[in-house]
């Protein structure tokens, strides 16, 4: 049976996964925006053009798509590593975090269209369509790993709780402190 003990090392792995996933996601938005010629601001949980500049609708689609794309790529790489190698619980949060991140983003579409929501609006397929597809795919990857290694509900519940807490601190820190990275 796979090691499913929640240790300080595992909690640190979850913390690392959240920080890495959020930063690489937002950095990818930022680098895409900069590559398209926009001077942009990178924060912990958002990217925006410098005041007075706006992205074109098409560029907004590219910028919006780049973050979820790198997040899905991260999940696929971790999935492949976990399937080809033996169980390694310290990299599992790097698969679980993208699922939580895209589920949260999909839920936020109720308030304000997020990455997949903006893309769906642009293409006229609805605000939730792409969020459901991306989240469904990521859920499938997490489910396959959980099934392959017989991960129990308790381990996955604690993983979710840790990731939710860490990401909530990250998001609130960004909203309260307006932490600018670049």
């Amino acid at each position: 049976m796979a090691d499913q003990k929640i240790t300080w090392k595992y909690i640190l792995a979850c913390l690392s996964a959240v920080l890495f996933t959020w930063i690489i996601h937002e950095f990818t938005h930022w680098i895409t925006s900069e590559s398209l010629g926009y001077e942009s601001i990178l924060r912990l949980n958002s990217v925006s053009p410098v005041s007075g500049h706006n992205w074109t609708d098409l560029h907004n689609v590219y910028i919006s798509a780049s973050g979820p794309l790198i997040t899905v790529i991260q999940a696929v790489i971790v999935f492949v590593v976990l399937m080809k190698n033996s169980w390694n619980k310290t990299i599992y949060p790097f698969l679980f975090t993208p699922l939580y991140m895209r589920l949260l983003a999909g839920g936020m579409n109720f308030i304000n269209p997020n990455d997949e929501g903006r893309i769906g609006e642009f293409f006229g397929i609805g605000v939730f369509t792409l969020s459901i597809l991306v989240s469904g795919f990521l859920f499938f990857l997490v489910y396959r790993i959980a099934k392959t290694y017989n991960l129990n509900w308790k381990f996955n519940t604690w993983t979710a709780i840790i990731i939710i807490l860490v990401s909530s601190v990250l998001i609130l820190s960004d909203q309260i402190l307006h932490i600018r990275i670049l």
Side-chain angles (χ1 to χ4, degrees):
M1 182 188 242
D3 175 16
Q4 298 178 52
K5 195 171 192 172
I6 305 298
T7 62
W8 285 108
K9 183 179 177 183
Y10 186 69
I11 293 169
L12 184 59
C14 290
L15 171 73
S16 300
V18 169
L19 290 175
F20 176 81
T21 304
W22 247 265
I23 289 171
I24 196 77
H25 177 96
E26 296 303 337
F27 179 76
T28 305
H29 285 311
W30 179 82
I31 199 73
T32 304
S33 178
E34 291 279 327
S35 297
L36 291 169
Y38 300 95
E39 187 178 350
S40 299
I41 298 168
L42 170 64
R43 293 184 18 203
L44 281 176
N45 192 40
S46 67
V47 170
S48 58
V50 170
S51 181
H53 297 92
N54 290 315
W55 297 317
T56 66
D57 288 342
L58 184 58
H59 286 172
N60 194 21
V61 169
Y62 295 146
I63 295 163
S64 294
S66 65
L69 182 61
I70 197 69
T71 303
V72 169
I73 290 169
Q74 171 189 319
V76 169
I77 290 169
V78 174
F79 174 80
V80 169
V81 168
L82 285 171
M83 289 301 281
K84 287 190 180 273
N85 300 329
S86 61
W87 171 244
N88 182 340
K89 78 176 180 183
T90 58
I91 66 169
Y92 181 65
F94 289 87
L95 174 62
F96 200 99
T97 300
L99 169 60
Y100 171 71
M101 178 190 229
R102 300 327 306 151
L103 280 171
L104 178 63
M108 295 307 293
N109 284 330
F110 282 107
I111 298 169
N112 189 28
N114 218 296
D115 297 333
E116 293 94 335
R118 284 190 297 268
I119 298 165
E121 280 186 329
F122 180 82
F123 287 110
I125 59 172
V127 176
F128 297 100
T129 306
L130 291 176
S131 291
I132 291 168
L133 292 172
V134 169
S135 296
F137 175 70
L138 294 171
F139 178 82
F140 169 76
L141 297 181
V142 169
Y143 178 80
R144 279 287 311 273
I145 292 300
K147 193 88 166 143
T148 299
Y149 292 107
N150 296 316
L151 304 180
N152 62 41
W153 68 269
K154 185 178 175 184
F155 177 72
N156 278 307
T157 301
W158 276 109
T159 299
I161 290 169
I162 296 165
I163 288 170
I164 289 167
L165 288 174
V166 173
S167 61
S168 295
V169 168
L170 183 142
I171 292 165
L172 287 172
S173 295
D174 183 55
Q175 290 177 346
I176 294 168
L177 302 174
H178 304 287
I179 299 169
R180 184 174 171 167
I181 299 172
L182 294 172

